Amino acid sequence: MTNPFLQKLSKVGQFFLDVLFKPLESLSAKWAVTILLAGLFSAGLLHWGFFLDWFNNRFDIQDWHLHVGPYLDFLSKAFRSGQFPLHADSAYIIPSQYLARQNRPFSPQILLLYFLNPSTYVLVNVWIFYSLSFAGLLLIRARYQLSFVSFLSIFLLFNLNGHIVAHIGSRSL
């Protein structure tokens, strides 16, 4: 005869092992994985917030103050004044015609500069990309019926990828 406490502990332990390593079967396991995924998503948001120093971007690392900072500032002023961004009054923007540069940001989320200052925009933009990548990883998880640990491995490989982190760090800090 075994101890009822040990039996209960064994069932709880087996439940968590199933949640972590097996495809979902029961409703309670689905809820547990949903909570774990929400915590993982929140941890990723916090990671990028700490990595980018939240909303304190000073545009003073590497060549940020020469290239991207003035462009975001220029776009922000253009949107707030209601003018289409064509010519910049900045010594750092060469040529002064904004649209003459092929590598300048002009995607839909750039309209957020109307509401946000450039340093806040950088973090929000990274959060948008992070959220899209997390949704894509969830689609991969559903397609291949991955367990939580398998998903966690892919999540960590993607989000702590040195190439991505180094490029964001060198351009955004």
Side-chain angles (χ1 to χ4, degrees), residues 7-172:
Q7 286 179 343
K8 182 90 166 165
L9 187 61
S10 172
K11 285 183 181 180
V12 169
Q14 186 62 47
F15 171 76
F16 283 113
L17 286 174
D18 289 345
V19 163
L20 293 176
F21 294 101
K22 288 187 176 178
L24 304 175
E25 295 173 4
S26 69
L27 184 61
S28 58
K30 289 180 182 180
W31 275 105
V33 168
T34 301
I35 291 169
L36 287 172
L37 290 173
L40 193 60
F41 179 75
S42 301
L45 290 176
L46 290 173
H47 159 72
W48 287 113
F50 284 117
F51 184 76
L52 295 173
D53 196 22
W54 296 101
F55 305 108
N56 300 322
N57 191 330
R58 295 170 302 281
F59 301 118
D60 61 354
I61 302 296
Q62 293 188 5
D63 63 350
W64 230 106
H65 65 286
L66 296 175
H67 296 290
V68 181
Y71 286 106
L72 293 178
D73 190 45
F74 164 68
L75 283 175
S76 178
K77 289 176 183 172
F79 290 143
R80 289 184 179 151
S81 68
Q83 298 175 353
F84 194 73
L86 292 176
H87 295 285
D89 256 350
S90 173
Y92 296 116
I93 301 178
I94 300 169
S96 65
Q97 296 82 8
Y98 176 78
L99 296 176
R101 299 293 303 261
Q102 73 276 12
N103 61 348
R104 291 300 104 206
F106 213 65
S107 53
Q109 72 268 22
I110 204 78
L111 296 173
L112 289 173
L113 281 169
Y114 179 79
F115 306 103
L116 305 173
N117 64 24
S119 60
T120 304
Y121 167 78
V122 169
L123 179 61
V124 171
N125 193 37
V126 169
W127 279 348
I128 290 170
F129 286 131
Y130 167 74
S131 300
L132 291 172
S133 70
F134 193 84
L137 289 174
L138 287 176
L139 290 174
I140 291 171
R141 179 182 174 273
R143 167 79 165 89
Y144 295 105
Q145 298 176 351
L146 299 175
S147 68
F148 180 76
V149 170
S150 299
F151 176 80
L152 179 63
S153 301
I154 294 172
F155 173 84
L156 291 175
L157 282 172
F158 184 78
N159 285 293
L160 299 179
N161 180 316
H163 183 74
I164 295 171
V165 173
H167 276 79
I168 291 175
S170 69
R171 290 286 183 194
S172 303

